[in-house]
Amino acid sequence: MVTRIESPYDVTGAEICSFDPVTNRLFVTSGSDISVLLIAADGSLSDVGTIDTSAYGEGVNSVSVSPNGGILAAAVEATNTQENGSVLIYSTESLELVGQAYAGPPL
């Protein structure tokens, strides 16, 4: 059964998501932010916060949690699309940036 979940966000909606089994958190791309939601045992969602990536580029293109959990990678497009973008690495527990690598530019 598919259940519609109303978005708490006014302008953008969920695009790409990745689940962390360590923290039971769902990381969802939403423009230049990554929305962080907690999935409770009953399946309900609660807002944990957001990761603002706007200092690193124009928008989040993708998110992925490491297979064992605990680490989130986010692909962020450069503001100038002719320049390198970034892969930002975050702790899924603290939501702190722990690393950055440059990627691109697109062909």
Side-chain angles (χ1 to χ4, degrees):
M1 170 187 274
V2 175
T3 303
R4 179 182 172 88
I5 299 172
E6 295 299 322
S7 172
Y9 308 101
D10 293 333
V11 179
T12 61
E15 293 183 18
I16 299 169
C17 63
S18 189
F19 175 71
D20 179 28
V22 173
T23 60
N24 284 335
R25 291 177 174 178
L26 187 65
F27 296 87
V28 183
T29 64
S30 183
S32 64
D33 294 333
I34 301 168
S35 302
V36 185
L37 304 169
L38 178 67
I39 302 177
D42 66 358
S44 63
L45 297 174
S46 59
D47 187 21
V48 173
T50 26
I51 300 172
D52 180 7
T53 66
S54 62
Y56 301 95
E58 188 66 26
V60 182
N61 292 335
S62 185
V63 289
S64 183
V65 172
S66 62
N68 294 326
I71 299 292
L72 171 74
V76 179
E77 180 180 319
T79 302
N80 176 345
T81 58
Q82 299 303 308
E83 295 179 359
N84 289 337
S86 293
V87 177
L88 305 176
I89 309 297
Y90 293 90
S91 162
T92 59
E93 182 67 38
S94 69
L95 306 182
E96 291 183 19
L97 182 68
V98 296
Q100 178 181 6
Y102 294 102
L107 299 176

